[in-house]
Amino acid sequence: MENIYVDNAGTTPMASEVIDVMDEMMKNVFGNASAVNAFGRKARQVLDNSRHIIAQSINAQNDNEIIFTSGGTESDNTAIIKTALKRQKQGRHLITTAIEHEAVLKPMEYLESLGFEVTYLPVDQNGLISLNDLKAALREDTILVSVMSGNNEVGSHQPIHEIGEIVAESNAWFHTDSVQAYGILDVDVQKDHIDLLSTSAHKLNGPKFLGFLYERNGLNLGPYLRGGDQELKRRAGTENIPAIAGFAKAVEIAQAHKHEWQKQDMTLKLHLLAGLKEAGIDFEVNGKCNEDELPQIVNIWFKGCPNDALLTNLDLSGIAAAAGSACTAGSLEPSHVLLAMYGDSPRVHESLRFSFGRYNTEAEIKKVVEVTAKAVKRLKEKAGR
């Protein structure tokens, strides 16, 4: 049985080039980057070079605006909780959206338990916030606005530039969770007035358990994890040099092929939708499906077909898709993203996410269409629909 992976929004396979770099580092650059001996200096050079590559990828003004973390979750928690605690004398109001990743929503809930007030902006059926809603929600005591760049379930791409301009005119700082967008879309923290930005390496064919937080010069959040003086005293813990070097390689590859892969992903998405339509499947796309959205993600409502049963059928046939975020896949709760977009609609329980990556082919998508169409028809016949 051929196994086909179309769950790249959950994680991506590591690129062979990244594996080669990490293998070389593990063999030959094992020193502690904080050590003053020759082994430490060699590790420090790799760390500095990697930081420079990544800083340039988002147009950071200074390499030291990049803080390496364990991934998107730590970066989001650091940006949100540290901002709130640092700026609470200036205000205790934060703004986010109803469709953020749990790594943003859970810290917001935590801050609410400490007495902070959070406004959750609604979204329309395309998964987009209203800029007028944002303007109306901003107050003198608003200290942070956190809006994700691209949604991990439906692929909606928020108007980050316009949001940044609005927030820049206020007292608030602007944070964006760019875990799904980074490496796929162009990111420019200067042009978009971004103060804090979170990423994760494993979403762009890099290693797991690694990411970075961009922190604009002058914010001075201080460490979230306390201990040693690593990362210029902003994040304690010995730096994972092999993984950081691998991350930098993944970023270099993504920067070189980003626009090529955007077109490839959009082509695969359109082939999937066209194939399902040709097969006579009754479906709708959740959100929009155009070049304004993340090209690698499509979320489809298979009308009258329970997503848990369909997902199981696909898995047994060798197709790896998803019913929502991989981080909440073990939960029986419906997708909070689809609930925010459509309310308590049948599509909340009848939708699957397909997400593409650099290693997917048109032949694979043809097979996905074939297997999915058969599974949908079989399940609907069983249900007498």
Side-chain angles (χ1 to χ4, degrees):
M1 180 176 65
E2 179 186 9
N3 291 310
I4 298 175
Y5 187 76
V6 280
D7 190 22
N8 288 273
T11 193
T12 57
M14 281 179 60
S16 59
E17 303 96 321
V18 171
I19 294 172
D20 289 343
V21 166
M22 292 180 64
D23 183 60
E24 176 67 20
M25 292 295 125
M26 286 187 282
K27 290 177 180 176
N28 299 311
V29 189
F30 55 84
N32 189 318
S34 298
V36 296
N37 54 48
F39 294 89
R41 290 193 298 273
K42 189 174 183 180
R44 171 61 60 178
Q45 183 178 21
V46 172
L47 178 63
D48 290 344
N49 288 342
S50 299
R51 199 188 308 275
H52 179 68
I53 289 168
I54 288 171
Q56 286 190 317
S57 74
I58 61 171
N59 194 29
Q61 287 186 322
N62 190 298
D63 293 355
N64 289 332
E65 293 177 312
I66 303 300
I67 305 169
F68 289 110
T69 68
S70 63
T73 295
E74 183 189 331
S75 295
D76 284 339
N77 274 256
T78 301
I80 294 166
I81 295 174
K82 289 298 297 184
T83 293
L85 296 180
K86 179 181 178 64
R87 307 196 73 205
Q88 58 185 316
K89 291 183 179 179
Q90 297 164 267
R92 295 174 68 84
H93 178 238
L94 303 91
I95 297 173
T96 189
T97 82
I99 63 167
E100 297 295 310
H101 191 278
E102 296 288 349
V104 168
L105 295 178
K106 291 294 176 65
M108 292 292 182
E109 291 175 9
Y110 169 69
L111 291 172
E112 286 181 300
S113 75
L114 298 182
F116 288 84
E117 182 183 353
V118 180
T119 295
Y120 297 89
L121 298 175
V123 295
D124 61 20
Q125 292 193 351
N126 292 317
L128 300 174
I129 67 167
S130 160
L131 295 178
N132 287 331
D133 284 350
L134 172 60
K135 292 176 184 177
L138 280 165
R139 309 182 328 206
E140 288 186 5
D141 64 336
T142 306
I143 54 174
L144 181 69
V145 174
S146 181
V147 178
M148 70 191 330
S149 300
N151 185 264
N152 54 301
E153 291 194 32
V154 297
S156 55
H157 178 218
Q158 303 294 343
I160 293 299
H161 178 70
E162 290 80 2
I163 293 170
E165 287 185 325
I166 292 168
V167 178
E169 295 298 318
S170 74
N171 180 54
W173 292 349
F174 179 32
H175 166 252
T176 184
D177 178 330
S178 192
V179 168
Q180 287 294 339
Y182 180 61
I184 300 293
L185 302 181
D186 294 329
V187 177
D188 189 324
V189 295
Q190 303 304 322
K191 183 185 71 175
D192 295 335
H193 307 280
I194 295 169
D195 298 302
L196 296 153
L197 179 143
S198 305
T199 74
S200 193
H202 75 104
K203 302 294 186 177
L204 61 153
N205 306 107
K208 293 177 177 62
F209 213 62
L210 179 70
F212 73 80
L213 172 65
Y214 161 77
E215 179 185 312
R216 184 183 294 277
N217 274 341
L219 300 192
N220 301 321
L221 289 183
Y224 183 63
L225 297 180
R226 299 179 180 276
D229 292 339
Q230 293 88 357
E231 295 299 286
L232 298 178
K233 300 183 179 182
R234 298 170 303 177
R235 199 274 185 182
T238 300
E239 293 93 348
N240 185 343
I241 298 303
I244 289 171
F247 191 7
K249 172 55 69 172
V251 169
E252 283 186 317
I253 297 169
Q255 290 296 104
H257 298 280
K258 184 165 47 184
H259 298 118
E260 168 193 336
W261 290 344
Q262 287 174 4
K263 294 178 181 178
Q264 173 183 307
D265 289 343
M266 181 58 73
T267 297
L268 296 178
K269 182 190 297 189
L270 294 177
H271 278 329
L272 175 65
L273 298 176
L276 292 172
K277 184 176 180 180
E278 185 178 345
I281 302 301
D282 189 11
F283 73 91
E284 287 184 22
V285 172
N286 294 317
K288 295 191 295 185
C289 181
N290 58 33
E291 294 182 355
D292 293 331
E293 308 310 298
L294 295 183
Q296 78 273 27
I297 295 175
V298 62
N299 195 297
I300 302 174
W301 174 26
F302 293 98
K303 300 178 183 180
C305 197
N307 54 17
D308 55 350
L310 180 55
L311 191 64
T312 299
N313 272 257
L314 295 186
D315 187 43
L316 292 173
S317 299
I319 307 298
S325 170
C327 302
T328 56
S331 172
L332 296 177
E333 296 296 317
S335 162
H336 72 281
V337 174
L338 295 181
L339 281 171
M341 292 170 64
Y342 299 107
D344 192 14
S345 162
R347 71 173 76 212
V348 173
H349 307 281
E350 299 173 352
S351 297
L352 291 189
R353 179 189 70 185
F354 299 86
S355 48
F356 316 106
R358 61 180 286 194
Y359 299 116
N360 287 128
T361 65
E362 291 185 21
E364 286 183 328
I365 302 309
K366 184 177 179 180
K367 182 67 175 179
V368 171
V369 169
E370 177 186 331
V371 172
T372 303
K374 287 181 179 178
V376 169
K377 291 175 181 177
R378 183 168 58 249
L379 288 171
K380 294 185 77 170
E381 286 174 3
K382 183 177 180 181
R385 296 176 178 175

